[in-house]
Amino acid sequence: MSDVAAVIDDLCDESHELDLLVRELSSEQWAAATPAPGWSVAHQIAHLTWTDEVALLAATDAEAFAREVARAMEAPESFVDRGAEEIVAALAPEALLARWRAGRERLEAVLREAPAGTRIPWYGPPMSVASMATARIMETWAHGQDVADALGATRTPTARLRHVARIGVRARDYAYLVRGIKAPEEEFRVELHAPGGELIAFGPPDAPQRVTGPLVDFCLLVTQRAHRDDLAVRAVGPDADQWLGIAQAFAGPAGPGRAPRGAGE
């Protein structure tokens, strides 16, 4: 369980870093538009609040969560946006910040107390505690990037990005599935260079299909926070090249991604 605790620690650190970015914002900054169309800074934090609360429900009341999933399936394209919008409409920034903090703290406590081997139901297959914490790191980092972009802030990449990269690699076949494309049978080799010089690698060393680049750029790609043309991520092989055009680390419908910088100018 020490490894699980370390992942939860990383989730807390990622949330705290974003908290530092938003805790003293003005009302105008909370309302600032982010790169996600129709979403303000407040919407980004509201989405994290909503997802933390849903994760908490999944971890503590499987039957109630099943009802939540059924409601989501009635509007699969809009239920996430609706959840964020309802929270933004109901809460002033100070109350939103307090609710986000309270929800993530409750989720942290439940994850730390979960018995070994716990499986948490989710919108796809059930998740281990470590996987749930990893998924929350990915979402917190990705939505935090939108907040940082809206505020003109620059974030320093951390070792926590390895969690985001891992999800991006593991979700490779899902990216094909949601687009109705047959996934390649062979594994790819993915080699990513962390800011400190560490090599983070996935897949067989001798795989002919390869992806290389900076760790942070790969994370921006798989969370669809930047267009591949603006990133130093490179593919060797046609299958790997196709994947870089559709990669997504998040569950749900295929996202439209971001346009290249300067598009439409």
Side-chain angles (χ1 to χ4, degrees), residues 14 137-145 155 161 216 219-220 223:
E14 192 65 40
I137 293 171
M138 181 272 293
E139 278 221 85
T140 302
W141 181 83
H143 290 282
Q145 185 63 46
R155 301 192 299 173
L161 286 175
V216 64
C219 292
L220 289 167
T223 58

Side-chain angles (χ1 to χ4, degrees), residues 229-256:
D229 290 351
D230 298 322
L231 302 170
V233 181
R234 301 291 178 260
V236 174
D239 291 339
D241 185 72
Q242 180 188 38
W243 178 46
L244 292 190
I246 64 173
Q248 66 179 70
F250 51 88

Side-chain angles (χ1 to χ4, degrees), residues 124-194:
M127 303 172 75
S128 68
V129 172
S131 293
M132 176 61 78
T134 301
R136 300 309 305 129
I137 293 171
M138 181 272 293
E139 278 221 85
T140 302
W141 181 83
H143 290 282
Q145 185 63 46
D146 285 341
V147 171
D149 288 343
L151 300 175
T154 300
R155 301 192 299 173
T156 301
T158 73
R160 296 188 297 272
L161 286 175
R162 69 189 186 279
H163 299 298
V164 182
R166 180 172 177 268
I167 290 181
V169 171
R170 294 190 66 181
R172 186 200 74 169
D173 289 1
Y174 179 80
Y176 287 92
L177 175 66
V178 295
R179 290 165 175 81
I181 305 172
K182 187 180 185 316
E185 295 182 1
E186 298 82 9
E187 289 188 68
F188 298 164
R189 177 68 170 180
V190 178
E191 295 183 349
L192 307 170
H193 296 277

